[in-house]
Amino acid sequence: MCASNQDVVNRSDVVIIAVRPQDRHEALTGLRVDDGKIVVSLMGGVANDDLRRTLATAAPLVRAIPLPAIHERRSVTVTCPSHPVVDALFEPLGGVLPVADEAAFNVFSALTATLTSHYWYLATLTSWATGHGMAPEDADRYVRGLFQGVGRSLSDESRPLDRLAAAHETPNGLNHRIRTTWFDQANSDALRAALDALLADLR
Ligand SMILES: NC(=O)C1=CN([C@@H]2O[C@H](COP(=O)(O)OP(=O)(O)OC[C@H]3O[C@@H](n4cnc5c(N)ncnc54)[C@H](OP(=O)(O)O)[C@@H]3O)[C@@H](O)[C@H]2O)C=CC1
Ligand SMILES: O=C(O)[C@@H]1CCC=N1
């Protein structure tokens, strides 16, 4: 343990900033970061220009998006700008995807914002089934099993996502019906609009 954030910085060659964006001024204002250090910012939605103003340093600043799967060394970490030391840090943890600029970084950032909606989708399916009298543990087990299968099928990178969908769907069958009646154009447009609005805020 260190006595202060300044103490952490002084003892580090690579400084990782993982406070919540709204805490950054309290955590970082007044810190001295020598130009020879490397700063990795994990803060969602904070541009490097903004961070450079707060830290007032000429040290390289690299943004990165490690996600919870990094625990199992399976998170592809987007970085910007690419830096050999930072990319080497994340490479063994599931791979690294350096992107050219923060405009591209923000698109990937917006994609990460959809993760919990995916869990919420599964929770909604489970709750719908319990509403129809299924035991919660049965509904939970069944929905988890269904989507673990989906997760495994995603490992097959030889097939594009639309082909994977087609492979799971009988023409005019049950999946086709829900995909076209629920995930219809209006629903797809609403998702794109929410992502566009987030992207506009990230710029
Ligand atoms: N959760 C995720 O999957 C991802 C999160 N991020 C980004 O990572 C950052 C952290 O997110 P998350 O881990 O979920 O948030 P948490 O709230 O879990 O963690 C924030 C941490 O910041 C510490 N902290 C707060 N204020 C200070 C301060 N003044 N000085 C030192 N440390 C401080 C907190 O310490 P204490 O607990 O002692 O208050 C806590 O350990 C965010 O910027 C988020 O955008 C990025 C990618 C993915
Ligand atoms: O939801 C969040 O705020 C963080 C940032 C990237 C992924 N999770």
Side-chain angles (χ1 to χ4, degrees):
M1 292 289 282
C2 295
S4 65
N5 289 339
Q6 185 64 60
D7 198 15
V8 175
V9 171
N10 293 346
R11 292 163 185 260
S12 307
D13 299 320
V14 177
V15 179
I16 297 180
I17 299 177
V19 296
R20 293 179 302 165
Q22 58 269 40
D23 294 332
R24 69 189 187 281
H25 294 297
E26 185 197 320
L28 306 176
T29 300
L31 275 187
R32 292 179 312 283
V33 179
D34 295 346
D35 299 353
K37 296 188 188 288
I38 299 163
V39 178
V40 184
S41 168
L42 311 187
M43 293 183 291
V46 179
N48 271 341
D49 276 357
D50 178 316
L51 181 59
R52 196 172 292 289
R53 278 194 299 276
T54 305
L55 289 178
T57 180
L61 304 184
V62 179
R63 297 181 69 183
I65 322 175
L67 290 167
I70 207 156
H71 285 296
E72 8 161 24
R73 302 182 181 223
R74 285 183 176 189
S75 174
V76 176
T77 299
V78 179
T79 60
C80 179
S82 181
H83 188 290
V85 171
V86 180
D87 291 351
L89 182 71
F90 289 115
E91 180 59 43
L93 301 175
V96 65
L97 178 55
V99 294
D101 52 37
E102 284 185 287
F105 186 89
N106 288 339
V107 171
F108 285 100
S109 245
L111 289 179
T112 73
T114 63
L115 270 176
T116 59
S117 295
H118 193 76
Y119 289 106
W120 215 245
Y121 167 70
L122 304 187
T124 303
L125 297 179
T126 305
S127 143
W128 174 84
T130 57
H132 281 272
M134 300 308 109
E137 58 275 21
D138 289 347
D140 186 86
R141 180 173 159 227
Y142 196 70
V143 167
R144 282 175 193 258
L146 273 179
F147 288 92
Q148 280 163 3
V150 170
R152 281 191 299 276
S153 77
L154 291 175
S155 309
D156 175 5
E157 291 177 17
S158 68
R159 285 196 284 181
L161 293 174
D162 58 348
R163 291 237 335 262
L164 277 178
H168 286 74
E169 188 172 280
T170 303
N172 295 317
L174 308 181
N175 272 272
H176 178 264
R177 174 168 167 160
I178 293 299
R179 180 172 63 77
T180 54
T181 57
W182 177 68
F183 208 167
D184 58 3
Q185 194 60 46
N187 202 346
S188 174
D189 289 346
L191 178 56
R192 287 169 190 277
L195 288 166
D196 280 343
L198 173 58
L199 188 58
D201 284 347
L202 290 173
R203 282 181 184 137

